[in-house]
Amino acid sequence: MSRWKEASSLIITTASKSKVGKKSPITPNHEKYNFDILALKKNETLPSGNPQICVFPGGSLSIADSIQDWEGLFTEFGLSLKCMGNGSRLPIFSSNREGVPRWLSLKITAIRETFEECGLLLCKSIGQLPSEATDNVLAKSTNHLAIDKIDSWRQRVLEDPYQFFSLCESCKCYPDVENLVLWSNWLTPSHMNERFDAVFYFTHLRNLNLANVTPDNKEISSAEWLSPKELLDLSNRGDIFLKPPQWYEINSLQSIETFDGLNRLIGHKSSNCHLWMPVRIHASDGEISLLPGDDMYPDDVDPFFPTPILRKGQTISSLRCKKMHRMEHFGPRIEILDTRSDSGSV
């Protein structure tokens, strides 16, 4: 699949604005817990000039994320790549290119791009090696690592991705790849000019109060922590534009209110990571993005050539069927229909 650019993106949650600053985000009786997601607005708009495109931190894989030196760095901290093995059979991880395994380089990409775009350094230092998660109720959580001259390092990494390894070597730290959960894998549909094979990861940030989250003012114009519902409402009103993969993933989080629920979803996602490539249906009143598992999803999809299904004489509602896994697009508003028996809701 050489026609895709390999990329990774990171979904980062933290305690919601109303909870930040408290000793514990939940009480022993499991009262409702709300969280926010890090949303970045790009210095890029739709052709109409409005709204701004909103994304998770992330970007394209760099050769600097795959150099063999990374294995030596992790070994210095007592970490073995075999013990940290990814375990997924997704095609993107089967690459035999030189350097460290692709599952590791894509996690490094997500962490490096997060540092570049918003200043969060998701790394561990020597002093953090012992377990520090005694009060951690999320299965996978990380911290922002405050280092000397962090702004200077960020600028260096922005100019040269190889400087991220130099940062880790100089500051005696390593990317916290162990606390990134494999979430999903999306292929850009064949009708798009620029196409990505993008892996999505998830982590939870514990020490937001120590982090200075700021946009790079190049690709990113603003960085905000917003709840899933806030993001979906902004998208539905047309104030921001969420691409279908981001919309789908945010929607999967909006009904989660407790750590238990979020942990169940993390467990399900990490053991059931799928590859999705939407196939479009053009209807008379909008578009449908079919996903694997839908009764209308074609048996043979050519990933290299556009395969839109034309149903101009039918409405979106008339095209609904028994087993659905799809996104219905009504202008800026999107709805997900998932009637699969194995949809894995939690």
Side-chain angles (χ1 to χ4, degrees):
M1 293 187 178
S2 58
R3 302 190 192 184
W4 281 269
K5 294 180 181 178
E6 293 178 337
S8 62
S9 194
L10 185 54
I11 303 169
I12 307 175
T13 61
T14 196
S16 68
K17 293 178 285 290
S18 61
K19 304 279 185 174
V20 169
K22 295 186 178 181
K23 287 186 176 180
S24 176
I26 63 168
T27 60
N29 62 358
H30 298 284
E31 69 183 30
K32 288 185 178 180
Y33 168 73
N34 295 318
F35 58 88
D36 292 330
I37 301 172
L38 181 57
L40 308 181
K41 287 184 179 178
K42 300 191 73 173
N43 276 319
E44 178 183 355
T45 60
L46 297 181
S48 61
N50 186 47
Q52 280 186 287
I53 296 173
C54 194
V55 297
F56 305 130
S60 297
L61 178 76
S62 167
I63 297 175
D65 305 323
S66 300
I67 57 175
Q68 199 66 49
D69 292 345
W70 284 111
E71 182 173 7
L73 181 74
F74 285 108
T75 300
E76 287 181 18
F77 287 89
L79 299 172
S80 165
L81 299 194
K82 290 182 179 180
C83 295
M84 293 193 297
N86 185 69
S88 173
R89 296 183 178 179
L90 291 171
I92 193 172
F93 297 136
S94 63
S95 168
N96 291 321
R97 297 181 182 91
E98 293 182 2
V100 297
R102 187 57 87 234
W103 65 262
L104 178 59
S105 58
L106 283 165
K107 285 188 174 185
I108 293 171
T109 297
I111 292 173
R112 174 183 55 77
E113 287 280 348
T114 297
F115 180 55
E116 291 181 17
E117 292 180 340
C118 62
L120 280 178
L121 184 57
L122 306 182
C123 288
K124 282 186 173 181
S125 65
I126 293 176
Q128 292 178 301
L129 284 177
S131 175
E132 46 182 52
T134 54
D135 61 346
N136 177 29
V137 285
L138 272 183
K140 294 292 182 178
S141 298
T142 189
N143 278 330
H144 165 71
L145 180 64
I147 60 172
D148 291 336
K149 301 179 181 179
I150 190 169
D151 293 335
S152 174
W153 273 114
R154 183 181 178 189
Q155 186 58 42
R156 289 167 63 177
V157 175
L158 278 164
E159 294 171 359
D160 177 11
Y162 284 93
Q163 290 299 311
F164 190 55
F165 178 82
S166 298
L167 179 159
C168 292
E169 192 174 43
S170 176
C171 298
K172 299 185 179 349
C173 64
Y174 66 95
D176 190 10
V177 296
E178 298 168 290
N179 283 307
L180 266 57
V181 178
L182 181 59
W183 198 258
S184 59
N185 184 195
W186 290 80
L187 284 177
T188 306
S190 53
H191 67 276
M192 303 293 290
N193 292 327
E194 189 173 31
R195 306 189 63 198
F196 293 94
D197 187 352
V199 179
F200 285 69
Y201 294 101
F202 170 92
T203 195
H204 183 79
L205 181 68
R206 292 197 298 273
N207 64 340
L208 176 61
N209 58 314
L210 300 179
N212 184 20
V213 182
T214 56
D216 62 16
N217 292 320
K218 293 182 179 180
E219 289 187 45
I220 306 301
S221 62
S222 67
E224 296 182 77
W225 295 95
L226 298 168
S227 72
K229 188 175 187 311
E230 285 174 317
L231 283 166
L232 294 177
D233 286 347
L234 287 170
S235 175
N236 290 338
R237 293 200 304 264
D239 296 332
I240 61 172
F241 176 73
L242 294 170
K243 295 181 180 180
Q246 283 85 354
W247 200 96
Y248 184 99
E249 302 303 350
I250 292 169
N251 184 77
S252 73
L253 290 165
Q254 72 164 329
S255 62
I256 307 298
E257 297 178 329
T258 66
F259 269 121
D260 283 345
L262 192 52
N263 271 327
R264 286 196 298 272
L265 183 58
I266 290 171
H268 173 77
K269 288 281 191 177
S270 61
S271 59
N272 293 275
C273 183
H274 298 288
L275 174 63
W276 307 127
M277 189 183 88
V279 172
R280 290 192 305 173
I281 293 182
H282 298 284
S284 60
D285 57 346
E287 291 187 359
I288 301 170
S289 293
L290 297 177
L291 294 169
D294 193 289
D295 280 341
M296 291 189 68
Y297 196 84
D299 291 333
D300 297 311
V301 177
D302 191 326
F304 297 109
F305 296 98
T307 54
I309 301 171
L310 301 178
R311 294 288 188 273
K312 288 293 188 179
Q314 293 177 267
T315 62
I316 288 177
S317 60
S318 70
L319 290 166
R320 291 171 183 163
C321 51
K322 183 177 181 180
K323 192 174 181 181
M324 293 182 289
H325 185 209
R326 59 181 64 184
M327 290 177 278
E328 298 180 339
H329 306 260
F330 301 90
R333 183 170 60 88
I334 303 176
E335 292 183 5
I336 289 179
L337 294 180
D338 192 351
T339 58
R340 300 170 298 153
S341 59
D342 61 343
S343 58
S345 59
V346 292

